[in-house]
Amino acid sequence: MKNKAGIIGVGSQVPEERVDNYYFEHIMDTSDEWITTRTGIKERRRIAEGEASSDLAFNAAKKAIESSRIKPEELDMIIVSTITPDSSLPSVSCILQDKLGAVNAAAFDLSAACSGFVYGLTVATQFIENGMYENILVVGVETLSTITNYEDRKTAVLFGDGAGAAVVGRVEEGGIRSTYIGADGSGRDYLQISAGGSRMPASHESVDKNLHKVTMSGSNVFKFAVRKMEEASIIAIEKAGLAPEDINFYVPHQANIRIIEASAKRLGLDMEKVYVNIDRYGNMSSASIPVAMDEAYREGKIKKGDNVVIVGFGGGLTWGSAVINWSL
Ligand code: ACO
């Protein structure tokens, strides 16, 4: 019989500095009113100079490990989802492996943008279920402020920095009942960072033209997101052998309050059952779901035995969803 995988510890970390909407009113043609009504965002966090993704990831991971009551050396694997690593070599996961003292863990980063945490959770679940590993740390971390073009009002106001982590381990009851991940690379142009890779290595020109920053076709992503959030949630719920009315709590990716509300409505979920922190943090890409999950648990909104849906979408394009019978 398969082992059961579940989340046995969670943690998160956001930077100290808060950047409110009025900051943007001073540097570009926008307003608190536009940002609030079109996105639901009031403020976001930004790392300090000298700080990097692995610093946030380390603190989130430490809290998740403490909450799981395992020791770092009991970790078999570390998976970090990020599109903003400290550098392209080494991986953030290897930095964490060293700093945490997770001497027995394999470590790798994965890139699936905002869906990355669900991708990581899916990989971890396989290793636990097939009996190969017992404890796996999955982290979603982003420092999107480092790839934001502060001259582009269509993207600058949306993003924030943060990290969330979960330890996935063997559980007796409940656990991760289903996961579902997918991709559609034909939509890859909708969200892009053009320079800094092998196609266009860094040059004076690429820096002068701001090509290391993210660009986005907002309305195309918006339409895709509303459709996919519902579709992916339904597939994960069905794979778990459940119906939407069996869902106790919904933790969606935090990209836009209008996307969250539209997908909750399509699923017939009351907003009381939906976690929202986009007002405080903006879109933290792969960190959004694990930070929201950690906060919802700590606030008592997710309790042991609850069926929780997590669902995300993002650049690539990618998407991912899971149903977790909460075991903490
Ligand atoms: N302030 C004021 N006006 C603005 C701003 C701003 N910050 N940004 C755009 N506008 C203007 C536009 O220029 C446009 O003006 P125009 O009609 O004169 O051309 C008008 O507002 C409407 O623009 P739209 O892009 O149609 O606005 P929309 O209602 O679609 O909202 C938004 C834009 C918030 C980006 C929305 O499309 C969205 O949330 N999209 C999804 C983004 C997303 O989910 N990304 C996730 C992936 S992130 C990742 O993977 C890293």
Side-chain angles (χ1 to χ4, degrees), residues 5-7 118 121-122 125 129 174-180 232-244 246-251 293 305-311 320-326:
I7 290 179
V118 188
L121 193 73
T122 304
T125 301
E129 284 185 350
I176 298 160
R177 297 181 68 142
S178 70
T179 62
Y180 165 61
S233 301
I234 295 281
I235 291 175
I237 292 167
E238 282 174 357
K239 280 179 83 175
L242 299 173
D246 300 321
I247 300 310
N248 304 99
F249 208 71
Y250 186 57
V251 181
M293 204 169 66
D306 280 353
N307 289 317
V308 179
V309 170
I310 61 173
V311 61
S321 55
V323 175
I324 304 161
N325 186 266
W326 202 253

Side-chain angles (χ1 to χ4, degrees), residues 74-238:
E74 291 175 81
L75 284 173
D76 300 303
M77 183 180 262
I78 299 173
I79 304 171
V80 175
S81 163
T82 187
I83 55 164
T84 46
D86 296 23
S87 59
S88 48
L89 190 71
S91 62
V92 174
S93 53
C94 278
I95 299 171
L96 281 192
Q97 195 254 13
D98 177 44
K99 286 194 174 169
L100 291 168
V103 288
N104 297 307
F108 68 94
D109 288 4
L110 70 79
S111 169
C114 309
S115 321
F117 180 78
V118 188
Y119 267 67
L121 193 73
T122 304
V123 175
T125 301
Q126 308 311 306
F127 278 101
I128 305 291
E129 284 185 350
N130 72 20
M132 188 161 168
Y133 288 144
E134 286 187 19
N135 299 299
I136 300 178
L137 175 69
V138 183
V139 182
V141 59
E142 302 294 358
T143 47
L144 297 180
S145 61
T146 63
I147 55 160
T148 296
N149 178 357
Y150 287 99
E151 289 166 12
D152 175 11
R153 69 175 184 173
K154 290 187 172 177
T155 53
V157 301
L158 302 175
F159 302 125
D161 302 341
V167 177
V168 183
R170 281 188 199 167
V171 293
E172 295 299 320
E173 280 173 61
I176 298 160
R177 297 181 68 142
S178 70
T179 62
Y180 165 61
I181 51 176
D184 177 4
S186 70
R188 63 190 179 280
D189 292 347
Y190 295 164
L191 274 149
Q192 275 199 62
I193 299 171
S194 308
S198 55
R199 179 73 63 195
M200 197 189 295
S203 65
H204 289 292
E205 193 191 357
S206 68
V207 174
D208 289 346
K209 289 186 171 166
N210 250 332
L211 299 178
H212 298 266
K213 309 293 182 184
V214 71
T215 58
M216 181 175 74
S217 164
S219 55
N220 283 320
V221 178
F222 193 98
K223 283 178 227 146
F224 156 77
V226 172
R227 184 169 48 83
K228 267 299 165 202
M229 295 273 271
E230 180 200 11
E231 200 178 289
S233 301
I234 295 281
I235 291 175
I237 292 167
E238 282 174 357

Side-chain angles (χ1 to χ4, degrees), residues 28-31 34-35 38-39 83 113-114 144 153-154 157-159 191 214 216 218-219 221-222 225 253 255-256 258-259 283 285 313-315:
M28 56 178 57
D29 180 17
T30 190
S31 63
W34 191 97
I35 302 168
R38 293 298 187 103
T39 72
I83 55 164
C114 309
L144 297 180
R153 69 175 184 173
K154 290 187 172 177
V157 301
L158 302 175
F159 302 125
L191 274 149
V214 71
M216 181 175 74
S219 55
V221 178
F222 193 98
H253 176 48
N256 188 316
R258 292 183 291 140
I259 296 174
N283 178 351
S285 190
F313 64 90

